[in-house]
């Protein structure tokens, strides 16, 4: 796949590429240490000398500029706070990355960037003969757990050929690596993810503050959320293929257990509880408007997911596909599997083995003491 002593990194699967990382903060620094722990040679640059010194103690080679990183490395990562920072490091600052990049190298931006910036960078990389991926990193926040201890997911956009070249590196960075499509696709997916997450967090904040304002203890309202279906399936994300993507939500004959009318009722009751104390709950109020429209359209007896059709109309799209009920990325970046079902099968198999072993033990003891 990658070589360590040539401008071309696609010649040999036996040798490892030399890596460069620009931005050694929370994410970049940890990934640099991670690559070093896996035996890679890593060049680093950061405007903070202390960040580089810490990595130097782990075996990293420190540099004096972005250009020096590019000259010394074959796969270069940028992990920076903002699109402006990326543009400066890659194209604008003194001794920038472009001044050192060589044809055949690969540039991977793991910053949560803007689509416009990624397109500009990609155009410049093409002119330089450098391959590029936009691959924003989905870190592991408090409350979540990474199997590998590094992060949850890498969302990669760019040519499939380039992706295939560097996917072994990406797989060291997080539990899952998802190829999202052509350049900018990774950035788009990350921005959508963060937007959905932020809205969900605000919705949770409305629920918690409403509970506190109505005299519910914080521990109690937190337990209510974490022990209910919301915590097990936040946003019904794992259930979407069942009712929505399959279009089962369009079929009233499916007789859903929880329909639009019932949830609309619950939302109105929650809103009334807020109004009694003059508590503003903007996300709840907006959601109720959608449910009101859904009932006006005659969707009262449909699955609650039917309300998503309103958003489909606004966007001019239809979410229709046959997807597994629960989908988790495996080490093969383009493959998915139902890991929950897999775990369930393993557990069932383990139980059967234990039962069988127990029966055999009992038979053995019975034979031993009755011989």
């Amino acid at each position: 796949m990658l070589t360590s002593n040539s401008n071309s990194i696609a010649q040999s699967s036996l040798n490892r590429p030399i890596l460069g990382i620009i931005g050694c903060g929370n994410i970049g620094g940890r990934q640099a240490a991670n690559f070093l722990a896996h035996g890679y040679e890593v060049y680093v640059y950061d405007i903070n000398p202390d960040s580089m010194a810490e990595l130097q103690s782990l075996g990293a080679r420190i540099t004096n500029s972005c250009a020096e990183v590019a000259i010394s490395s074959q796969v270069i990562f940028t992990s920076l706070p903002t699109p402006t920072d990326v543009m400066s490091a890659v194209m604008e600052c003194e001794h920038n990355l472009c001044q050192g990049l060589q044809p055949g190298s690969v540039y991977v931006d793991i910053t949560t960037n803007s689509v416009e910036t990624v397109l500009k960078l990609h155009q410049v990389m093409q002119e330089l003969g450098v391959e590029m991926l936009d691959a924003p990193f989905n870190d592991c926040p408090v409350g979540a757990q990474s199997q590998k201890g590094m992060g949850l997911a890498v969302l990669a956009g760019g040519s499939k050929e380039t992706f295939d070249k560097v996917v072994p590196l990406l797989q060291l960075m997080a539990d899952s690596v998802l190829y999202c499509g052509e350049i900018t696709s990774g950035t788009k997916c990350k921005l959508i993810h963060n937007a959905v997450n932020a809205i969900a967090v605000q919705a949770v904040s409305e629920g918690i503050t409403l509970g506190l304002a109505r005299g519910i203890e914080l521990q109690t309202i937190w337990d209510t959320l974490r022990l209910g279906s919301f915590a097990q399936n936040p946003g019904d994300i794992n259930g979407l293929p069942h009712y929505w993507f399959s279009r089962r939500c369009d079929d009233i004959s499916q007789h859903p257990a929880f329909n639009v009318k019932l949830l609309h009722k619950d939302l109105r009751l929650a809103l009334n509880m807020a109004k009694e104390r003059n508590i503003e709950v903007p996300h709840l109020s907006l959601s109720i408007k959608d449910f009101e429209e859904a009932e006006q359209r005659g969707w009262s007896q449909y699955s609650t997911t039917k309300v998503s059709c309103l958003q489909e109309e606004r966007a001019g799209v239809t979410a229709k596909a046959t997807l597994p009920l629960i989908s988790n990325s495996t080490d093969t970046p383009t493959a998915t599997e139902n890991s929950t079902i897999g775990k369930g099968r393993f557990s069932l198999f383990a139980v059967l083995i234990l039962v069988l072993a127990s029966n055999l033990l009992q038979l053995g003891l019975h034979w031993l003491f009755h011989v």
Side-chain angles (χ1 to χ4, degrees), residues 9 23 26 41 52 59 84 98 106 118 125 127 142 148 190 208 226 250 312 328 340 343 350 357 361:
I9 66 165
N26 181 44
E41 184 177 357
M52 290 193 291
T84 301
C98 286
V106 177
V118 171
M125 295 301 151
E127 294 171 356
V142 175
K148 298 178 182 178
K190 178 63 185 296
I208 289 176
R226 73 182 183 88
D250 296 332
E312 287 181 323
N328 292 304
T340 300
K343 291 176 183 176
L361 178 62

Side-chain angles (χ1 to χ4, degrees), residues 189-202:
C189 287
K190 178 63 185 296
L191 294 176
I192 290 168
H193 169 276
N194 284 8
V196 170
N197 189 60
I199 293 170
V201 168
Q202 289 301 102

Side-chain angles (χ1 to χ4, degrees), residues 249 256-268 287-310:
C249 64
F258 199 38
N259 59 35
V260 169
K261 182 178 181 178
L262 289 174
L263 184 50
H264 187 197
K265 177 263 297 181
D266 292 351
L267 296 178
R268 290 198 307 269
S287 296
I288 284 180
K289 290 182 179 179
D290 276 351
F291 277 82
E292 288 174 351
E293 183 174 349
E295 289 224 61
Q296 291 169 2
R297 294 195 182 199
W299 296 350
S300 297
Q301 301 305 317
Y302 285 82
S303 162
T304 56
T305 311
K306 181 68 175 174
V307 178
S308 299
C309 294
L310 297 175

Side-chain angles (χ1 to χ4, degrees), residues 326-346:
I326 299 176
S327 176
N328 292 304
S329 296
T330 65
D331 287 340
T332 302
T334 56
T336 58
E337 68 177 1
N338 190 328
S339 62
T340 300
I341 291 177
K343 291 176 183 176
R345 288 174 178 168
F346 174 79

